[in-house]
């Protein structure tokens, strides 16, 4: 199928159109302002209209012709082309998409693109800002998927704010052993840093008290430390 699409469609396109398709394939959904931001240019509205008229596997997502997506197989092909021909541009495009989504108050999409760009610090910052709200909204599986991104190598130790957030959510899910492991990662992360962890310390004390691993006397002391 990829060979067919490449032969019958991509090979016949003007370089300008093919470049637009290839570079915007990093996006799950497309609109003109977002494409302009990702491409660092203008004219995306006209490009999208032309692509829609040419029937190039562009699926309309609303009645106002504001949002679109590529057919999944077509997008897969475009992403492969992008990885092969412009690999250094991939993280740049994702970084621009993350910035646009964050500016337009869509932190979940921003998180996706920040991670795809390899910007782990930004991914951690966005995750911490929205994880509890998303979890409490009944989408615990989504949050656990985000947390899994950090449960590799020593990434938890390097991001104690994520570790303590994960500990809290795992405890709420009834997974005490995992909550304790993430709590210890947060403690190691705080111990190895002097800056940027002041807000994490009281949350660590709260979780120590909540898990009550060392008996009620220590639980009381941890609660008092958190309050202080």
């Amino acid at each position: 199928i990829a060979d067919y699409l490449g032969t019958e469609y991509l090979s016949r396109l003007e370089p300008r159109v093919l470049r637009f398709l290839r570079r915007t394939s990093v996006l799950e959904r497309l609109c003109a302002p977002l494409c302009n931001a990702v491409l660092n240019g203008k004219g995306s509205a006209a490009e999208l209209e032309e692509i829609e008229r040419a029937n190039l596997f562009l699926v309309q997502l609303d009645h106002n012709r504001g949002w679109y997506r590529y057919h999944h197989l077509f997008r897969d092909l475009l992403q492969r082309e992008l990885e092969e021909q412009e690999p250094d541009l991939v993280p740049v495009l994702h970084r621009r998409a993350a910035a646009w989504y964050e500016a337009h108050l869509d932190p979940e999409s921003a998180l996706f693109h920040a991670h795809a760009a390899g910007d782990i610090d930004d991914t951690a910052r966005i995750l911490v800002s929205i994880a509890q709200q998303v979890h409490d909204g009944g989408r615990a599986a989504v949050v656990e998927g985000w947390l899994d991104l950090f449960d590799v190598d020593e990434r938890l130790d390097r991001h104690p704010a994520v570790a303590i957030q994960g500990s809290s959510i795992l405890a709420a899910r009834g997974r005490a052993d995992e909550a304790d492991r993430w709590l210890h990662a947060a403690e190691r992360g705080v111990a190895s840093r002097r800056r940027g962890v002041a807000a994490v310390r009281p949350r660590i004390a709260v979780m120590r008290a909540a898990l009550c691993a060392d008996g009620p006397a220590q639980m009381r002391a941890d609660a008092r430390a958190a309050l202080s």
Side-chain angles (χ1 to χ4, degrees):
I1 294 175
D3 291 340
Y4 170 78
L5 291 175
T7 301
E8 295 297 320
Y9 290 93
L10 297 190
S11 64
R12 301 181 181 183
L13 295 175
E14 297 180 13
R16 170 186 56 79
V17 177
L18 180 56
R19 184 168 54 250
F20 179 92
L21 291 168
R22 189 170 60 232
R23 293 180 178 180
T24 56
S25 69
V26 300
L27 303 170
E28 291 186 346
R29 301 184 304 142
L30 308 92
C31 70
L34 172 57
C35 291
N36 284 339
V38 168
L39 300 176
N40 197 25
K42 299 179 180 180
S44 293
E47 294 283 3
L48 288 170
E49 290 176 7
E50 181 178 341
I51 291 167
E52 186 179 21
R53 285 196 303 270
N55 196 27
L56 282 175
F57 303 98
L58 190 66
V59 180
Q60 182 182 328
L61 296 179
D62 60 19
H63 296 297
N64 299 321
R65 284 185 163 79
W67 286 93
Y68 302 87
R69 68 168 176 84
Y70 294 126
H71 185 283
H72 298 307
L73 289 176
F74 189 57
R75 183 182 177 218
D76 289 345
L77 174 60
L78 293 172
Q79 288 182 306
R80 191 179 71 179
E81 293 264 326
L82 180 63
E83 289 282 356
E84 291 176 354
Q85 298 190 27
E86 300 179 287
D88 294 341
L89 191 58
V90 174
V92 176
L93 298 172
H94 279 294
R95 197 167 291 122
R96 292 171 181 168
W100 188 90
Y101 273 119
E102 194 161 14
H104 288 77
L105 305 181
D106 186 348
E108 292 188 42
S109 296
L111 187 154
F112 168 81
H113 285 287
H115 184 262
D119 295 339
I120 303 304
D121 289 346
D122 282 340
T123 305
R125 174 180 55 79
I126 298 169
L127 189 160
V128 169
S129 72
I130 64 174
Q132 195 66 53
Q133 179 182 356
V134 174
H135 174 272
D136 294 348
R139 300 167 61 211
V142 172
V143 177
E144 289 184 10
W146 295 339
L147 295 175
D148 285 344
L149 300 175
F150 287 84
D151 197 10
V152 294
D153 302 325
E154 298 177 353
R155 192 172 287 180
L156 275 184
D157 292 20
R158 294 196 296 269
H159 296 90
V162 172
I164 197 61
Q165 181 70 68
S167 178
S168 176
I169 287 173
L170 290 167
R173 302 286 290 169
R175 295 156 63 179
D177 289 343
E178 291 180 70
D180 187 62
R181 179 170 64 86
W182 283 58
L183 172 60
H184 287 307
E187 291 172 335
R188 290 192 300 270
V190 167
S192 64
R193 284 163 177 75
R194 295 182 179 179
R195 297 180 179 179
V197 294
V200 179
R201 289 193 176 95
R203 297 192 65 193
I204 287 176
V206 168
M207 283 310 302
R208 284 176 180 160
L211 294 176
C212 192
D214 300 313
Q218 185 60 46
M219 178 185 186
R220 180 180 298 166
D222 289 331
R224 286 174 174 167
L227 181 59
S228 174

